[in-house]
């Protein structure tokens, strides 16, 4: 394909992806307040961790006991619903735009590269979803810890925007952090990291993971920090075990002489076999005697006649 054809294909795939995201956003916008087939509305799912708090920890502005987030501006409710719908649309349309990306890059890959790419992309999506789900479930404990700090003198009244930003930040941090083991595996497959280099540094790595979790969790509450740190530690250990198995597999298929130093002998060299006697050359055919070349006389005109 020419460069123009590649650009046309890219434009077509981007348009298809954007249309899918827009359709998903419309569905998410409607799903925010109403859901078919007796499903939970998306807004109710989002505010679930906040509503699970004890009633004495959150303000009640309605008088009927219903759990609702606070809106401090005229457009805040609309913008919150639009943001949640857009995020839901991006997630629901992910099979479409991931497929478009995959079909755009696969023609330039070899067969083994396609297998590796498909495997890593699938694992990356699964790890991010697992991290997002864990973030949603630990949000209850994190909010409870944060909302009880000074509850004797004040009561929590979270606005929809601040609560959504906190929830989204926690989901993104957990989801991206769960990709760290996959990066370790990729570096090991590429031959950059070996198990021998990291097996004695587990204590330093675990301390670094806990420091990372302490700084990256949005609320800095201990429960979210410990949950994130323990999850990453477990996944990193699984990645290290993969590195160990992968290195052993490569060691079995690796010749011994590749591990020797430049000045070290690779073993005795077999003696050279004697060279066979050359076959005798046959008789050479006799070359015919060349014919004499005609020479001109002193008078070229008589020779022509």
């Amino acid at each position: 394909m020419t460069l123009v054809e590649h650009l046309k294909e890219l434009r077509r795939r981007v348009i298809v992806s954007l249309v899918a995201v827009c359709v998903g956003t419309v569905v998410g916008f409607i799903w925010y307040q109403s859901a078919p087939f007796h499903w939970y509305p998306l807004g109710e799912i989002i505010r679930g961790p906040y509503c699970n708090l004890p009633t004495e920890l959150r303000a009640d502005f309605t008088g009927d006991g219903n759990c609702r987030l606070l809106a401090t501006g005229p457009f805040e409710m609309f913008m919150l619903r639009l943001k949640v719908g857009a995020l839901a649309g991006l997630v629901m349309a992910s099979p479409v735009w991931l497929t478009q990306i995959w079909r755009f890059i696969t023609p330039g890959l070899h067969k083994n590269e396609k297998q590796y790419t498909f495997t890593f992309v699938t694992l990356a999506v699964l790890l991010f979803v697992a991290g997002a789900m864990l973030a949603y479930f630990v949000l209850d404990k994190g909010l409870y810890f944060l909302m009880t700090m000074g509850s004797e003198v004040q009561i929590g009244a979270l606005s929809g925007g601040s609560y959504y930003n906190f929830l989204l930040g926690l989901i993104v941090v957990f989801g991206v952090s769960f990709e760290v083991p996959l990066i370790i595996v990729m570096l090991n497959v590429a031959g950059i990291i070996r198990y021998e280099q990291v097996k004695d540094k587990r204590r330093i790595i675990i301390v670094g993971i806990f420091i990372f979790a302490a700084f990256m969790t949005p609320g800095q509450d201990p429960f979210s920090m410990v949950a994130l740190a323990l999850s990453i530690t477990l996944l990193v250990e699984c990645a290290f075990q993969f590195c160990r198995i992968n290195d052993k597999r490569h060691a079995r298929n690796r010749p011994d002489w590749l591990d020797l130093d430049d000045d070290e002998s690779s073993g005795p060299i077999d003696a050279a076999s004697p060279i066979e006697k050359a076959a005798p050359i046959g008789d050479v055919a006799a070359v015919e005697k060349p014919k004499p070349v005609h020479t001109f006389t002193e008078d070229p005109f008589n020779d022509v006649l």
Side-chain angles (χ1 to χ4, degrees):
M1 297 176 64
T2 63
L3 178 60
V4 176
E5 291 174 340
H6 277 294
L7 293 177
K8 289 182 179 180
E9 182 188 7
L10 178 62
R11 181 185 61 183
R12 179 174 59 84
R13 298 196 181 280
V14 168
I15 291 174
V16 172
S17 301
L18 291 177
V19 170
V21 172
C22 291
V23 173
T25 301
V26 173
V27 175
F29 188 85
I30 299 174
W31 184 19
Y32 180 85
Q33 193 167 355
S34 59
F37 308 111
H38 302 286
W39 293 351
Y40 287 102
L42 190 57
E44 186 175 345
I45 297 175
I46 293 296
R47 68 178 181 177
Y50 174 73
C51 293
N52 290 336
L53 294 173
T55 55
E56 62 271 12
L57 295 180
R58 46 185 172 82
D60 182 14
F61 298 100
T62 60
D64 54 2
N66 291 330
C67 175
R68 295 180 184 178
L69 295 169
L70 180 65
T72 58
F75 294 102
E76 185 173 351
M77 291 186 290
F78 173 78
M79 293 304 300
L80 177 62
R81 183 172 180 177
L82 185 61
K83 289 179 181 179
V84 174
L87 181 61
L90 187 66
V91 174
M92 287 187 290
S94 59
V96 177
W97 55 263
L98 284 175
T99 302
Q100 297 301 316
I101 296 176
W102 177 253
R103 290 182 177 178
F104 182 74
I105 64 175
T106 47
L109 300 177
H110 298 289
K111 183 178 180 180
N112 58 338
E113 293 174 341
K114 293 180 182 179
Q115 295 175 353
Y116 282 126
T117 305
F118 181 78
T119 302
F120 282 122
V121 169
T122 303
L123 291 177
V125 173
L126 293 177
L127 287 174
F128 188 89
V129 172
M133 293 178 63
L134 179 62
Y136 181 81
F137 287 112
V138 302
L139 185 60
D140 285 349
K141 303 297 182 181
L143 272 180
Y144 181 82
F145 175 82
L146 295 174
M147 299 292 284
T148 53
M149 300 294 293
S151 59
E152 294 82 3
V153 296
Q154 59 183 356
I155 190 170
L158 296 181
S159 65
S162 61
Y163 175 74
Y164 172 77
N165 292 333
F166 176 75
L167 175 60
L168 181 61
L170 196 66
I171 289 176
V172 171
V173 168
F174 271 71
V176 174
S177 301
F178 271 45
E179 305 294 337
V180 173
L182 184 61
I183 296 175
I184 296 175
V185 172
M186 293 174 63
L187 293 176
N188 177 258
V189 172
I192 300 175
I193 291 181
R194 298 179 60 186
Y195 179 71
E196 296 293 332
Q197 300 172 344
V198 297
K199 69 176 184 179
D200 297 330
K201 300 180 177 63
R202 280 187 171 86
R203 294 182 179 179
I204 299 177
I205 293 174
I206 292 175
V207 172
I209 290 173
F210 273 85
I211 295 175
F212 169 81
F215 279 97
M216 293 305 297
T217 48
Q220 280 79 38
D221 60 283
F223 189 84
S224 300
M225 181 195 71
V226 172
L228 179 61
L230 291 179
S231 302
I232 298 177
T233 302
L234 179 61
L235 292 175
V236 167
E237 181 61 30
C238 294
F240 285 167
Q241 295 304 316
F242 173 86
C243 296
R244 180 179 64 84
I245 297 173
N246 189 51
D247 290 345
K248 285 186 177 181
R249 182 176 62 86
H250 281 289
R252 288 194 300 265
N253 301 329
R254 181 181 177 88
D256 296 335
W257 58 267
L258 288 176
D259 298 324
L260 299 177
D261 295 333
D262 295 338
D263 56 351
E264 187 177 356
S265 174
S266 60
I269 300 176
D270 297 335
S273 57
I275 300 176
E276 298 181 358
K277 186 177 180 180
I281 301 175
D283 297 335
V284 180
V287 181
E288 296 181 359
K289 186 178 180 181
K291 297 180 180 180
V293 181
H294 178 74
T295 57
F296 291 98
T297 61
E298 294 180 358
D299 190 358
F301 181 74
N302 294 331
D303 289 335
V304 174
L305 295 178

